[in-house]
């Protein structure tokens, strides 16, 4: 029974959202506002039950002395962060926000270096390991093309330039030439990604329509 | 081994950034022209002149993820744009999809208003959390983009493909869109749907192009130096790999 | 790259674009211009603004038009000798101005010129005029007349080199025979002209502040503004006025204006019989009477100086990039016979105003004389003057100079346009009207010598470069007059920015052209010159913008309308106007200080002024609807795409079409997935990470189900589920409860949902290091995961994600702790290409992406979402590819065509 | 002002501790870094509550001021309060929350994603009207080719050459090279942005 109700409700919301294809209308706005409210409530629930309770409240109540002592700092910061709810006391949330920014900066830096720069640099060199490759020539050619794509794409984003006598800002000829090639690679990559996004969206559309038809026994 | 190299890289980048920031230059460094930033500057000016609103959407990148860098960059941009448009009849409205970033957007806006000398005009609710999931954020931000008097939508930060909903809403309202995203799929969507998309790392250049803060310009210069180091590294690594030395 | 704004929708576009990205109209379109900073304003057709007028204003305009229609008929009778008015809407003199804007080939000159005396004008009059004028001293020693200098310029020009450049430009037009006829007629009317009872001291500079001063007094009866202040202020500016003879009559006649009985300017007394009579009177402006002197000067300098104002402007325009409306002046300057009013003249709001005869507000002020409550636009002056300090602080830098001079002279400071701008902003007008009003002072201010600023405010101003023309050309004694020339000229285009009557009201209230103040005194002395039009013209029918366009000479005897009660200004700025200076009586004439009319505005200030004027003008522009046709076609395209897509998908799904074979070739990155999973020991603990949003659940499920069907069925692993997305755990439950229900996984023993892992990368790392701490739960002790204490205890990790960033984070954060356990990524098609490098680099054991990735693991017999969706997907994708190619080509060529048209 | 200084000091200290703990290969630093990150998670959970309050406040204000479309805001407040109340009472795995998820959140999000199918076709069709530079042309050509090469024709299956040669080569070689360049570029940007925040050149929490 509940499945049926859920199916009907889901059907209605799907129709309301798809009505946006005809034009912006109140059904769409209604569905969106209900959805935004419901998803916010859902995420808040998850945060309370799966973060605040197990990470903070339960250890404070049931944890050892050491755990409680360790939790004093996050507890203070937690309370300070809650001060941001009130515009008057918002300034007190500074330290908590500062903590998040500092942690975020560190995560961003380490993520960029350890997660992307080093692994991707290594991966770019991988195809050139022709000694341990069954098809060295093909791999080398593909590797070279990929390397050219990677290098020229990086060059394309070069920001530094010099000011010409006529006041215009230009990059030097070599950089411009490489950047032009890089621009093609960037466009090509974005084109492939765009096709991927479209594929995902189309699958979602098919899944939605399929669910609508399923309700009518198709 | 990786950690050592990473540490060396970070130290080098940090020293470079510090050196370039503290360096006294006769004339500011010149950077290539990026049309989207020219448009953004113009849009900010026009918003003040014709009393329209600027909608700045800074994405949903959590600070505790690498995507947080996009949010930090968007906040730096917000500071510049907020300062330029704070005196508008209709002050800018900021939406975000991460609660911590939303809180930061309020602080940033407040700082921008203070810098512009109109602290009294600041309204905490002008920095709002529009949703807690990517699509609820986008759907709610669509509502803001549809809002009357929004002449320009600045979508800069961490988005996914849901950003297409925002560009669609903006286009239906005939509002200008200046957009940049860290996620490549979002970049692809923006490339197709925004008049002046920013691609790749151009997102991180936004603060330098919109303001004259030496540290922002220095970070772009540092980025360029690191870029060429990286290119050199890639070529050397490929050569060594071919030689079987790596 | 510089942007250009679409003339249709006002949206910024890349400069190389020929077509607006927003409304798809050519960017070079001339219509519906919306000014933006940096753009030079061009001709404005203000008729389009009619639609945005508030109702009251539309009605007022309508009424005025009707009234004007009748009036024009009467005028044509009354001015029988004059050539019939042109077909243009504007009355004859304006039409004359307009006609000057035409090509110089057709030697058209304004009607007032046509009616000016011929070259061979009575020499007696000439002698009467010139010597007298040459006696006049601007610098205020004794009998001074600002216009003296001006009038003597022709004399100077007689010896050739001293002739002002602008004088050359109008000789041709001055030779028109019709001018003489007109003057004869004018001369015939002279006897009826009365002597003005106004004392010299009654003169007030015709600027906002001044004009509003007495208005202040009008309102002061209710506002109780101390009269002393008025006196003081008036005396202040008066001290700066050119000195003229003071007649006892002046004091006498000034008395009636003391106290409550304040006679409003005659052009405001429309309810009085006299005024009514004036309405009836032909619209030949009284200033036309002044053509006698102009005719006298004609043989040397021929054309009235307003026609020659182009010269001073032409040069600044080249150097300073002055707004385009100055363009016509500049252009006309280049060819002599081109002493013409720019072509925009017939289209200007003034043309419209001329149609209406009197602006709407005048009806409202009809009883202004009898009671002090003045209309809004007048009473604003009170708060305005009060808010001066604040206003000054907000005065743009380029106005600083004026601000300073304003500080020196109280009442002149009140006239500062910036304040009147502030003032306007105080009133709750329709936005467009507010902006219009706000444009006014800026307009005044952008002109080298703003028309609505009094000479006193300019006392210490340095002359702009263009005035050098005069400095070089005219003798020292005459220089003061010469720079006056541009004033009115500047005033015209400034006014031009006001497309609404409501706006014109303020112009009326504030912008009495100050060139009048410099030329009036001489007109007193040529009494006969005041005669001609006294009966024909009701000064009340002269809006200030019309006065602004008056030729300097012709202005001399212009105003008086004998049928109007009240004292007649007999000299000074308002000479000839009757009853405009109620405060005259309380002012004692003082020795006028020598004043320079040099404008204190350097090039930068003028450029800033031009910019501000353009910005304000942009606000006064009615925004055209953004390309309606384009919008409709865009919607149609959307609907067409929607309809086609829905039909394709619905038909394919409803008919359960399965005619498209599933893919057979396995991509390299997916080839190793099944072999890797098949190697896992049976019942081994496996970690499944559901890091995708419900939005992509359809795609991820269709990609994951075929693989999981095979893997779970063959190895029956114990599954532990978690997600860094709050909705992930629910999606995992949904997947196992619906799509994988046939596998009948038992919760707790075979399936454990740990739920949400907060903290993104931090959480991932924490989980990688201490799984049980990262997600503290008693569920860990359930059979599904009881033997797992660290990440490496999982036999394999399956990541379902829609974000390459999430995949990257998991790959990076768990690389060490995985201890070589395989990680397989099932990704959305939108993320797969970005995750591919990690698969190629061997950081992950395999990658399957999107519906295609699911289809490759689907056996054609199996009933899986991938199979169900496959045909619909293929047809829809084919349609999409075709649309992108064909639509892209169409738009490509359409864009090129539009761009070409735009260039043409 | 002092608050800002404290925030800045905390940001720098925490950032450096975590960064050093990540980059220095000393095991002793790992628990410190993890604890600091664990605290960050707790604080960010408080941010969720702040965000909920902000969302509530913004829409309450709309309702109070009877702004345009404030009815929608009232509905949003209602749905949020109801979901939150049910969630707090029965937990995220409770039946009511399951219904809210499967009846509202899932279908709406999926339908919103479905809208993109039309939006993206429309955007790509109109792209060359907006911009006709080389990048746009290559972009459109690649997108169309990728979609076309990935499809199977009725009865025939994958399109020869397109499906088995061009598509894989396009995605795994050409696009992979550009994708790697994009990833590296974004990483460089993230690195410098992170350093700016770490050195408090950027202080999004105010000041400066």
């Amino acid at each position: 029974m509940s499945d049926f109700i859920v199916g009907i409700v889901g059907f209605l919301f799907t129709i309301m959202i798809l009505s946006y294809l005809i034009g912006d209308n109140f059904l769409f706005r209604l569905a969106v506002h209900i959805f935004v409210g419901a998803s916010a409530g859902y995420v808040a629930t998850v945060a309370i039950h799966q973060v605040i309770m197990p990470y903070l409240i339960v250890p404070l109540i049931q944890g050892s002395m050491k755990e409680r002592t360790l939790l004093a700092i996050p507890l203070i910061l937690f309370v300070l962060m809650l001060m941001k709810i009130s515009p008057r006391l918002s300034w007190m949330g500074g330290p908590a926000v500062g903590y998040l920014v500092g942690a975020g900066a560190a995560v961003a830096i380490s993520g960029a270096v350890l997660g992307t720069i080093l692994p991707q640099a290594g991966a770019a060199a991988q195809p050139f390991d022709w000694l341990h490759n069954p098809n060295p020539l093909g791999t080398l050619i593909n590797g070279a093309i990929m390397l050219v794509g990677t290098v020229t794409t990086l060059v394309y984003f070069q920001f530094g330039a010099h000011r010409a006598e006529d006041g215009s800002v230009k990059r030097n000829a070599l950089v411009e030439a490489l950047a032009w090639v890089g621009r093609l690679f960037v466009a090509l990559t974005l084109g492939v990604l765009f096709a991927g996004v479209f594929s995902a969206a189309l699958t979602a559309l098919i899944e939605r329509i399929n669910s609508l038809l399923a309700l009518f026994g198709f | 081994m990786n950690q050592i190299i990473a540490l060396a890289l970070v130290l080098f980048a940090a020293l470079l950034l510090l050196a370039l920031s503290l360096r006294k230059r006769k004339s500011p460094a010149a950077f290539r022209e990026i049309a989207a930033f020219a448009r953004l500057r113009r849009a900010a000016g026009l918003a003040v002149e014709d009393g329209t609103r600027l909608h700045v959407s800074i994405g949903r990148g959590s600070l505790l993820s690498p995507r947080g860098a996009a949010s930090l960059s968007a906040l730096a941009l917000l500071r510049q744009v907020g300062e330029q448009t704070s005196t508008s009849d209709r002050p800018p409205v900021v939406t975000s999809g991460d609660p911590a970033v939303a809180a930061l957007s309020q602080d940033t806006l407040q700082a921008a208003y203070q810098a512009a000398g109109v602290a009294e005009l600041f309204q905490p609710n002008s920095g709002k959390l529009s949703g807690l999931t990517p699509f609820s954020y986008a759907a709610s931000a669509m509502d803001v983009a549809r809002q009357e008097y929004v002449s320009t939508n600045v979508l800069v930060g961490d988005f996914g493909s849901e950003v297409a909903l925002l560009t669609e809403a903006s286009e239906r309202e005939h509002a200008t869109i200046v957009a940049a995203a860290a996620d490549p799929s979002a970049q692809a969507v923006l490339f197709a749907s925004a008049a002046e998309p920013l691609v790749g790392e151009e997102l991180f250049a936004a603060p330098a192009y919109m303001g004259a803060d030496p540290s922002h310009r220095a970070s772009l210069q540092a980025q360029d130096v690191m870029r060429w180091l990286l290119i050199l590294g890639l070529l050397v690594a490929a050569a060594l790999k071919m030689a079987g030395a790596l | 790259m510089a942007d250009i704004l679409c003339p249709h929708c006002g949206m910024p576009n890349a400069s190389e674009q020929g077509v607006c990205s927003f409304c798809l109209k050519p960017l070079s379109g001339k219509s519906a211009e919306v000014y933006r900073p940096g753009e030079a304003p061009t001709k404005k057709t203000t008729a389009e603004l009619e639609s945005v007028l508030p109702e009251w204003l539309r009605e007022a305009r309508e009424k005025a038009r009707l009234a004007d229609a009748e009036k024009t008929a009467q005028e044509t009778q009354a001015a029988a000798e004059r050539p019939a008015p042109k077909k243009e809407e504007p009355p004859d003199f304006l039409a004359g101005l307009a006609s000057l804007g035409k090509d110089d080939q057709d030697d058209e000159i304004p009607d007032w010129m046509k009616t000016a005396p011929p070259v061979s004008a009575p020499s007696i009059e000439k002698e009467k005029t010139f010597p007298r004028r040459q006696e006049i001293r601007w610098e205020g020693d004794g009998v001074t007349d600002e216009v003296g200098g001006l009038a003597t310029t022709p004399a100077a020009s007689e010896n050739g080199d001293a002739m002002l450049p602008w004088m050359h430009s109008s000789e041709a037009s001055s030779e028109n025979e019709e001018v003489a006829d007109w003057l004869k007629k004018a001369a015939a009317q002279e006897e009826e002209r009365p002597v003005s009872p106004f004392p010299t001291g009654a003169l007030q500079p015709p600027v906002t502040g001044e004009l509003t001063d007495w208005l202040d007094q009008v309102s002061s009866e209710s506002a109780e503004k101390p009269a002393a202040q008025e006196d003081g202020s008036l005396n202040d500016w008066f001290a700066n006025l050119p000195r003229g003879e003071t007649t006892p009559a002046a004091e006498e006649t000034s008395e009636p204006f003391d106290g409550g009985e304040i006679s409003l300017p005659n052009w405001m007394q429309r309810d009085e019989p006299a005024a009514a009579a004036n309405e009836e009177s032909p619209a030949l402006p009284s200033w036309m009477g002044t053509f006698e002197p102009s005719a006298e000067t004609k043989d040397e300098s021929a054309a009235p100086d307003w026609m020659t104002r182009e010269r001073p402007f032409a040069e600044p325009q080249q150097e300073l990039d002055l707004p385009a409306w100055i363009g016509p002046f500049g252009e006309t300057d280049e060819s002599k016979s081109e002493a013409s009013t720019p072509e925009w003249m017939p289209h200007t709001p003034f043309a419209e105003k001329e149609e209406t005869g009197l602006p709407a507000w005048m009806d409202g002020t009809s009883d202004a004389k009898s009671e002090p409550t003045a209309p809004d636009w007048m009473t604003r002056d009170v708060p305005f003057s009060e808010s001066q300090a604040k206003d000054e602080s907000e005065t743009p830098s380029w106005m600083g100079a004026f601000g300073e001079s304003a500080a020196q002279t109280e009442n002149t400071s009140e006239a500062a346009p910036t304040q009147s701008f502030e003032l306007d902003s105080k009133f709750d007008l329709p936005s467009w009207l507010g902006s219009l009003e706000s444009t006014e002072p800026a307009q005044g201010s952008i002109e080298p010598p703003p028309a609505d600023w009094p000479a006193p405010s300019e006392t210490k101003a340095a002359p702009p470069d263009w005035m050098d023309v005069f400095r070089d050309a005219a003798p020292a004694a005459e220089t003061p007059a010469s720079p006056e020339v541009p004033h009115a000229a500047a005033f015209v285009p400034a006014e031009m920015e006001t497309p609404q009557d409501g706006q014109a009201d303020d112009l009326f209230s504030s912008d009495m052209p100050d060139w009048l103040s410099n030329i009036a005194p001489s007109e007193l002395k040529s009494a006969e010159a005041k005669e001609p039009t006294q009966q024909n013209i009701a000064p009340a029918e002269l809006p200030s913008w019309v006065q602004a366009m008056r030729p300097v000479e012709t202005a001399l005897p212009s105003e008086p309308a004998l049928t109007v009660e009240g004292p007649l200004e007999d000299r000074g700025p308002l000479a000839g106007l009757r009853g405009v200076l109620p405060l005259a009586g309380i002012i004692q004439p003082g020795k006028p200080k020598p004043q320079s009319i040099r404008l204190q505005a350097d090039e930068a200030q003028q450029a800033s002024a031009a910019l501000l004027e353009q910005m304000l003008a942009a606000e006064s522009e009615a925004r055209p609807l953004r390309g309606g046709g384009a919008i409709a076609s865009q919607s149609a395209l959307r609907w067409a795409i929607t309809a086609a897509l829905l039909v394709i998908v619905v038909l394919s799904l409803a008919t359960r079409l399965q005619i498209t074979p599933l893919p057979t070739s396995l991509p390299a990155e997916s080839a190793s997935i099944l072999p890797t999973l098949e190697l896992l020991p049976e019942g081994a603990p496996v970690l499944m990470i559901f890091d995708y949003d419900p939005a992509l659940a359809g795609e991820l499920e269709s990609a994951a189900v075929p693989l999981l069907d095979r893997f779970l069925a063959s190895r029956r692993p114990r599954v532990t589920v978690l997600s860094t997305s709050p909705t992930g755990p629910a999606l995992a439950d949904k997947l196992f409860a619906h799509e994988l229900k046939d596998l009948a996984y038992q919760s707790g023993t075979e399936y454990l949902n740990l739920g949400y892992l907060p903290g993104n990368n931090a959480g991932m790392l924490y989980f990688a290091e201490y799984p049980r701490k990262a997600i503290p739960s008693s569920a860990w002790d359930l059979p599904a995961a009881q033997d797992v204490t660290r990440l490496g205890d999982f036999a394999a990790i399956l990541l379902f994600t829609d974000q390459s960033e999430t995949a990257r984070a998991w790959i990076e954060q768990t690389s060490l702790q995985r201890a070589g356990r395989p990680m397989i990524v099932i990704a959305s098609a939108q993320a797969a290409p970005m995750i591919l490098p990690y698969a190629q680099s061997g950081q992950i054991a395999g990658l399957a992406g999107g519906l295609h990735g699911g289809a490759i693991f689907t056996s054609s017999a199996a009933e899986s979402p991938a199979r169900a969706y496959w045909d619909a997907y293929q047809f829809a994708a084919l349609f999409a590819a075709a649309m992108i190619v064909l639509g892209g080509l169409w738009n490509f060529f359409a864009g090129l065509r539009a761009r070409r048209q735009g260039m043409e | 002002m002092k608050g800002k200084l404290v925030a800045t000091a905390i940001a720098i200290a925490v950032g450096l501790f975590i960064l050093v703990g990540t980059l220095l290969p000393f095991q002793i630093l790992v628990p410190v870094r993890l604890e600091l990150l664990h605290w960050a998670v707790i604080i960010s959970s408080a941010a969720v509550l702040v965000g909920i309050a902000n969302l509530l406040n913004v829409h309450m204000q709309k309702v109070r001021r009877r702004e345009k479309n404030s009815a929608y805001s009232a509905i949003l407040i209602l749905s949020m309060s109801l979901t939150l109340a049910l969630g707090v009472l029965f937990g995220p795995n409770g039946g009511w929350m399951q219904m809210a998820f499967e009846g509202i959140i899932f279908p709406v999000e999926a339908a919103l994603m479905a809208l993109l199918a039309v939006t993206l076709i429309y955007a790509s069709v109109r792209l060359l009207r907006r911009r006709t530079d080389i990048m746009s042309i290559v972009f459109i050509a690649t997108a169309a080719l990728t979609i076309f090469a990935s499809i199977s024709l009725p009865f025939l299956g994958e399109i020869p050459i397109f499906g088995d040669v061009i598509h894989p080569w396009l995605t795994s070689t050409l696009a992979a090279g550009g994708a790697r360049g994009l990833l590296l570029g974004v990483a460089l940007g993230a690195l410098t942005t992170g350093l700016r925040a770490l050195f408090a050149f950027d202080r999004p929490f105010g000041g400066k």
Side-chain angles (χ1 to χ4, degrees), chain B residues 21-187:
Chain B
S21 303
L22 302 175
R23 177 181 163 204
K24 294 270 179 289
R25 290 181 62 102
K26 285 175 187 164
S27 62
F31 299 119
R32 69 179 161 101
E33 287 185 355
I34 298 178
F37 291 126
R39 172 167 293 206
L40 178 53
R41 277 192 298 273
R42 191 181 187 87
L46 288 178
V48 176
E49 285 154 19
D50 56 22
T52 52
R53 198 184 294 283
L54 212 66
H55 170 215
V56 185
S57 206
I58 55 176
R60 52 172 174 85
S62 162
L63 288 175
L64 297 181
S65 74
R67 291 188 294 256
S71 300
L72 289 174
S73 183
L75 287 165
L77 173 67
L78 173 62
R79 168 63 188 263
Q80 313 277 1
V81 173
E83 208 167 319
Q84 288 168 27
T85 56
S86 54
T87 52
S88 170
D89 296 350
R90 296 188 179 81
V93 58
V94 185
T95 54
S96 52
D98 179 79
V101 173
L104 283 170
S105 73
Q106 292 180 354
D107 293 344
T108 304
L109 262 187
Q110 190 169 22
Y113 273 66
Q114 281 165 354
V118 288
E120 69 283 358
L121 296 179
F122 170 70
Q123 297 162 355
N125 281 349
S126 53
K128 56 184 79 172
L129 175 78
S130 49
L132 282 163
T133 64
F135 273 82
S136 67
Y137 154 62
S140 184
M142 278 171 82
D143 203 46
V144 178
R146 276 194 302 259
Q147 214 177 60
E148 228 180 336
Y149 302 122
V150 168
S151 60
T152 306
N153 288 287
V154 183
L155 316 174
V156 174
D158 177 60
F159 300 92
S161 52
E162 74 275 1
V163 75
L165 293 173
L166 281 169
T167 55
E168 168 77 4
S170 305
E171 186 167 342
R172 289 190 185 202
E173 296 300 316
H174 303 281
T176 311
I177 307 167
V178 177
D183 179 35
S185 350
Q187 287 176 33

Side-chain angles (χ1 to χ4, degrees), chain C residues 213 297 299 403 487 594 874 881:
Chain C
D213 263 348
T297 62
D299 47 349
H487 284 226
Q874 303 308 321

Side-chain angles (χ1 to χ4, degrees), chain A residues 3 18 21-23 42-43 46-47 50-51 54-55 107 110-112 114-116 119-120 122-123 126 146 189 192-210 213 217-218, chain C residues 639 642 645-646 649-650 653-654 656 695-696 698-699 702 726-727 729-730 754-758 761 766 773-776 808 812 828-830 833-834 837-838 840-841 843 851 869 872-873 876-877 880 884:
Chain A
D3 282 357
L18 291 181
L21 292 172
I22 301 164
Y42 186 88
V43 171
V46 171
Q50 299 195 337
V51 183
Y55 280 32
V107 169
S110 57
L114 285 170
T116 302
Q120 288 302 323
Q126 203 60 41
M146 286 166 69
T189 306
V192 169
L193 290 169
F194 181 85
V197 176
F198 171 73
S199 170
L202 182 58
T203 313
L205 177 70
I206 294 169
E207 185 274 334
R208 276 298 85 198
I209 292 175
N210 190 55
L213 292 174
F218 281 99
Chain C
W639 293 334
T642 303
L645 213 52
L646 288 178
V649 171
V650 168
L653 290 174
R656 295 176 179 276
L696 288 138
E699 185 196 20
S702 64
T727 52
L754 291 172
Y756 172 59
L757 174 68
N761 288 40
Y766 200 37
K773 271 191 181 176
I775 304 180
R808 186 186 71 74
E812 168 228 329
S828 159
Q830 70 180 23
M834 300 303 297
Y838 296 98
Q840 291 171 331
S841 65
Q843 289 173 279
L851 184 65
Y869 301 164
Y873 177 88
I884 291 173

Side-chain angles (χ1 to χ4, degrees), chain C residues 102-125:
Chain C
K102 296 181 183 164
D103 193 285
D104 31 354
Q105 296 313 317
D106 63 350
D107 225 353
E108 292 215 29
I109 53 171
D111 289 356
W112 59 265
M113 276 286 300
K114 290 176 180 172
T115 53
V119 184
S120 56
S123 60
I124 314 147
E125 290 176 355

Side-chain angles (χ1 to χ4, degrees), chain D residues 95-115:
Chain D
W96 286 106
M97 293 304 278
Q98 290 294 334
M99 284 179 72
F101 178 80
E102 292 186 21
I104 301 172
I105 298 172
F106 177 78
V108 169
E109 280 214 15
L112 284 171
M113 185 69 193
L115 290 180

Side-chain angles (χ1 to χ4, degrees), chain A residues 89-212:
Chain A
L89 304 174
S90 175
W91 61 272
M92 293 174 73
V97 175
Y99 190 104
L100 286 180
V101 170
V107 169
I109 294 168
S110 57
V113 178
L114 285 170
T116 302
I117 296 176
L118 295 181
Q120 288 302 323
Q126 203 60 41
F128 294 90
D129 186 9
W130 59 280
L131 292 171
H132 311 91
N133 204 302
N135 173 18
L137 188 62
T139 318
L140 272 178
I141 293 171
N142 284 341
I145 292 171
M146 286 166 69
L147 188 61
V148 167
T150 306
V151 168
T152 53
T153 301
L154 279 169
V155 173
Y156 167 72
F157 290 111
Q158 161 83 18
F159 296 107
H162 63 272
R163 204 172 291 280
E165 287 170 355
D166 62 356
S168 61
V169 179
K170 293 195 181 91
R171 299 186 289 192
N172 72 51
L174 175 64
V175 171
E176 280 298 339
L178 290 172
W180 193 86
V181 179
R183 170 181 305 189
L184 298 184
F185 272 97
V186 169
L188 197 140
T189 306
L190 293 181
V192 169
L193 290 169
F194 181 85
V197 176
F198 171 73
S199 170
L202 182 58
T203 313
L205 177 70
I206 294 169
E207 185 274 334
R208 276 298 85 198
I209 292 175
N210 190 55
S211 72
L212 296 181

Side-chain angles (χ1 to χ4, degrees), chain B residues 79 129 191 194 216 219, chain D residues 54-55 61 131 196 202 208:
Chain B
R79 168 63 188 263
L129 175 78
F191 189 86
H216 293 135
S219 73
Chain D
N54 173 260
L55 196 59
Q61 204 173 48
R131 300 191 302 267
R196 269 205 327 262
D202 288 347
K208 192 178 185 180

